[in-house]
Amino acid sequence: DVQLTQSPSSLSASVGDRVTITCQASQDISKYLNWYQHKPGEGPKALIYDASNIETGVPSRFSGSGSGTDFIFTISSLQPEDIATYYCHQYDNLPHTFGQGTKLEIK
Amino acid sequence: EVQLVESGGGLVQPGGSLRLSCAASGSTFSNYAMTWVRQAPGKGLEWVSIITSSGASTFYADSVKGRFTISRDNSKNTLFLQMTSLRAEDTAVYYCAKGGATVTDGFGYWGQGTMVTVSS
């Protein structure tokens, strides 16, 4: 199984800050990585697909990069509505696997 | 826009069974793989199972293999998860999600989830 190591597990930042989350895969998964935003009481929302492509309707402050084993998710200017837990997800191989999640809080 | 609505969750005793449903609308249901993902209380997301667009092939996480069965009715735009021999560790919110053309695609849309509690 592909293990995804996501860090940090939690993060406190101020409105307007640049926020970065990393996700490292245990083997080469090419570009086959998604990033999701998950708020309590809701289903996860896809933000980034194929490592660097932004989903339709997602604000441009969200971005992703990387390939192979190392991936980065960035919020360029943190907004109050961005408070959530963020997950990476690989779909190069079955079983699908997720990172442990990063809980983002406002400082 | 794609909408996914799960139902069928509830409280069940260990060893019991439950059948979850996921009603889909807003896209051609039969064109896409569909999946179940769960989140135990205080834990992260865990992939459970996936089914191809036609329903011909199914895949499971080791933790549920032999106990859970995924299926779909493309004529009714509905996905199912039959859960048997339930254990306390199956307690979680269960989400259905829309995949892509194959089972190795990302999950573009998710439902709001249905809670399953396994307890005596």
Side-chain angles (χ1 to χ4, degrees):
Chain A
D1 298 3
V2 177
Q3 308 300 319
L4 295 179
T5 303
Q6 188 175 335
S7 62
S9 57
S10 64
L11 177 57
S12 183
S14 300
V15 172
D17 281 355
R18 183 180 184 88
V19 170
T20 298
I21 300 169
T22 65
C23 183
Q24 185 171 56
S26 59
Q27 65 189 65
D28 189 337
I29 57 170
S30 185
K31 63 178 181 177
Y32 301 114
L33 186 107
N34 275 10
W35 290 96
Y36 302 97
Q37 178 189 67
H38 193 198
K39 296 181 178 180
E42 300 180 6
K45 177 184 178 182
L47 301 179
I48 303 291
Y49 67 96
D50 289 349
S52 61
N53 295 290
I54 194 166
E55 290 278 1
T56 302
V58 172
S60 59
R61 64 180 180 275
F62 295 101
S63 64
S65 64
S67 66
T69 61
D70 295 297
F71 301 86
I72 296 172
F73 172 79
T74 301
I75 306 174
S76 61
S77 179
L78 185 66
Q79 299 302 304
E81 61 267 31
D82 299 337
I83 299 313
T85 301
Y86 292 84
Y87 292 92
C88 56
H89 158 226
Q90 72 79 24
Y91 45 96
D92 184 52
N93 293 298
L94 292 180
H96 289 266
T97 50
F98 293 87
Q100 305 96 312
T102 297
K103 187 173 183 179
L104 182 54
E105 298 174 333
I106 293 286
K107 192 181 294 182
Chain B
E1 185 173 321
V2 175
Q3 285 198 322
L4 300 170
V5 180
E6 302 94 337
S7 61
L11 174 64
V12 60
Q13 292 187 340
S17 299
L18 211 56
R19 189 194 199 202
L20 306 183
S21 299
C22 170
S25 61
S27 70
T28 306
F29 182 72
S30 59
N31 285 355
Y32 302 99
M34 293 292 295
T35 195
W36 289 98
V37 175
R38 67 185 181 183
Q39 183 179 35
K43 303 294 186 182
L45 300 174
E46 179 191 15
W47 173 75
V48 172
S49 181
I50 195 164
I51 187 168
T52 56
S53 58
S54 67
S57 297
T58 58
F59 304 88
Y60 300 91
D62 286 346
S63 58
V64 306
K65 199 172 295 182
R67 301 188 299 122
F68 289 12
T69 302
I70 190 172
S71 62
R72 64 192 296 162
D73 184 340
N74 285 344
S75 69
K76 296 182 178 178
N77 291 352
T78 305
L79 174 73
F80 302 100
L81 186 68
Q82 179 68 50
M83 304 185 294
T84 63
S85 302
L86 282 161
R87 307 166 180 167
E89 54 264 36
D90 295 318
T91 294
V93 176
Y94 285 73
Y95 300 97
C96 66
K98 171 183 168 290
T102 74
V103 295
T104 48
D105 278 321
F107 306 146
Y109 293 92
W110 298 62
Q112 84 292 343
T114 187
M115 182 71 204
V116 172
T117 303
V118 184
S119 175
S120 54

